[in-house]
Amino acid sequence: MKTRVGVFFGGVSVEHEVSVISALQAINEMDSSQYEVIPVYISKDRNWYTGEQLLDIDKYKDIKKLLSEAQKVIVTKNEAGGVALQKDPAPKFGKKIMAEIDVASQSFTVHLEKTACFKGYLNCLTCLMLAVMFHHLLLEWIKFS
């Protein structure tokens, strides 16, 4: 079974575009035989999205179209207590959960206190965090319990 890695990128930083490029470069280097990558794009207006189309850098040239094609989500816990991406708004009928995440990786260019805030949020969801800061993959796994 592959490890499901949620890669979080974008955000409201002035280096938003750098975060997108860095995340997509990191995703392209991940071993697809071991990891299932789940992109989670955070728009400049603080909405969260997921979907395969977020993996295509050329689609970011028309951000409105890209976001209309992607699925808006919120990060929540699933029934088993794990981390899940739920459709936003959640449908009354049908599938609510878009994906589940085993490990989270973030590609934000932010101050350390903002990174700590993001890690704290994931801590509430009891998620493993693979730190990706300042455009470098750190070989450090941080477990929150």
Side-chain angles (χ1 to χ4, degrees):
M1 184 171 163
K2 294 182 183 181
T3 301
R4 299 167 296 190
V5 181
V7 179
F8 294 79
F9 59 98
V12 296
S13 168
V14 295
E15 295 195 16
H16 176 96
E17 290 75 12
V18 173
S19 173
V20 172
I21 293 167
S22 297
L24 295 180
Q25 288 174 338
I27 288 168
N28 287 332
E29 294 300 317
M30 289 185 176
D31 183 351
S32 62
S33 69
Q34 293 184 16
Y35 304 106
E36 176 188 345
V37 177
I38 302 159
V40 183
Y41 171 74
I42 302 172
S43 66
K44 290 181 179 181
D45 60 357
R46 295 180 170 88
N47 289 310
W48 297 33
Y49 297 87
T50 193
E52 292 292 317
Q53 54 276 54
L54 296 172
L55 299 173
D56 185 351
I57 190 106
D58 291 328
K59 293 199 174 199
Y60 289 85
K61 293 176 184 175
D62 186 351
I63 195 71
K64 285 185 181 183
K65 182 178 180 193
L66 173 61
L67 297 183
S68 72
E69 295 172 352
Q71 175 63 54
K72 188 175 173 190
V73 294
I74 59 170
V75 179
T76 187
K77 284 189 173 187
N78 63 18
E79 292 176 4
V83 178
L85 298 177
Q86 178 182 296
K87 292 179 182 177
D88 182 26
K92 292 184 183 194
F93 303 101
K95 186 177 174 183
K96 293 180 183 178
I97 302 298
M98 288 294 301
E100 295 181 349
I101 296 172
D102 300 316
V103 175
S105 171
Q106 58 97 23
S107 178
F108 303 123
T109 306
V110 295
H111 298 286
L112 286 175
E113 63 271 10
K114 291 181 183 175
T115 301
C117 202
F118 182 74
K119 287 180 184 177
Y121 176 65
L122 292 177
N123 183 22
C124 292
L125 299 173
T126 63
C127 184
L128 287 171
M129 177 71 187
L130 169 63
V132 181
M133 301 183 322
F134 311 113
H135 318 296
H136 298 286
L137 288 174
L138 300 179
L139 301 175
E140 175 182 13
W141 292 84
I142 303 169
K143 180 173 182 177
F144 296 97
S145 56

